[in-house]
Amino acid sequence: MQVLKILSAIWKSGANIYLDNTDNRIAIKQQDLIPTEVMQAAEQNFQQIDDWFKSWTKESNEKVTIMKMVHQICGWQHNQKLNEWLCTEVESLDMFNDWMIVLANNGWKDIYDDYRQFENDESNGMALELYHRAVTYARKVQ
């Protein structure tokens, strides 16, 4: 089973799985909300899940922002500030859509595949611009 399919099922259940910054280990809040079959899949794929989370610790702020945007759009993890920004600044939402189209043209066909393997200079430039727009918006609404 794909890591993001398992993680999305956990997040959609109302539980939260994340990398705890205090000890660099996987943590789960509200584990009782996770369906048994999803928890079994998570246990069977623990190393891949751990690797996925740890791979994000090396990423830039703009890459993490894009990841949060993907998770918001997919309905996996809700982020009110990102949602408000994308609803307020339609041009940024359009740019995010264009970013996803660039990745699709590079072979990203399954939302549960880690999109980072499909990035290129064009998508990276768009991600940087989206990050700058997000930061500018956040400063405006403080």
Side-chain angles (χ1 to χ4, degrees):
M1 185 177 254
Q2 295 165 297
V3 168
L4 286 173
K5 190 170 257 186
I6 297 167
L7 293 176
S8 68
I10 291 171
W11 291 320
K12 288 189 285 187
S13 76
N16 189 21
I17 185 169
Y18 59 97
L19 187 65
D20 190 330
N21 293 331
T22 60
D23 61 4
N24 206 32
R25 295 177 58 174
I26 299 294
I28 301 176
K29 288 187 180 173
Q30 296 183 295
Q31 182 174 340
D32 57 307
L33 299 175
I34 303 171
T36 304
E37 64 276 5
V38 174
M39 195 63 211
Q40 289 171 345
E43 290 168 355
Q44 292 168 357
N45 293 278
F46 176 79
Q47 189 58 56
Q48 295 94 322
I49 291 170
D50 189 58
D51 291 346
W52 183 85
F53 275 109
K54 288 180 178 168
S55 74
W56 283 100
T57 63
K58 302 173 198 130
E59 295 291 358
S60 63
N61 290 337
E62 60 264 16
K63 299 278 186 175
V64 172
T65 299
I66 286 287
M67 179 260 296
K68 289 178 180 180
M69 292 171 72
V70 169
H71 292 190
Q72 170 67 29
I73 292 293
C74 291
W76 300 342
Q77 290 184 297
H78 299 287
N79 185 312
Q80 189 61 36
K81 290 179 183 179
L82 278 175
N83 188 61
E84 290 170 5
W85 166 53
L86 293 173
C87 288
T88 301
E89 293 191 1
V90 177
E91 308 83 32
S92 295
L93 179 60
D94 288 342
M95 178 180 267
F96 178 64
N97 188 52
D98 291 343
W99 173 85
M100 289 190 297
I101 291 169
V102 168
L103 292 180
N105 289 338
N106 292 339
W108 187 43
K109 306 296 184 209
D110 187 339
I111 198 71
Y112 298 111
D113 286 340
D114 190 333
Y115 63 80
R116 291 177 287 179
Q117 62 189 311
F118 302 103
E119 293 175 315
N120 62 13
D121 289 341
E122 181 182 8
S123 67
N124 288 338
M126 295 169 84
L128 182 60
E129 176 62 25
L130 283 164
Y131 173 72
H132 289 306
R133 288 175 180 226
V135 169
T136 300
Y137 179 79
R139 288 183 180 147
K140 280 193 311 193
V141 297
Q142 283 183 346

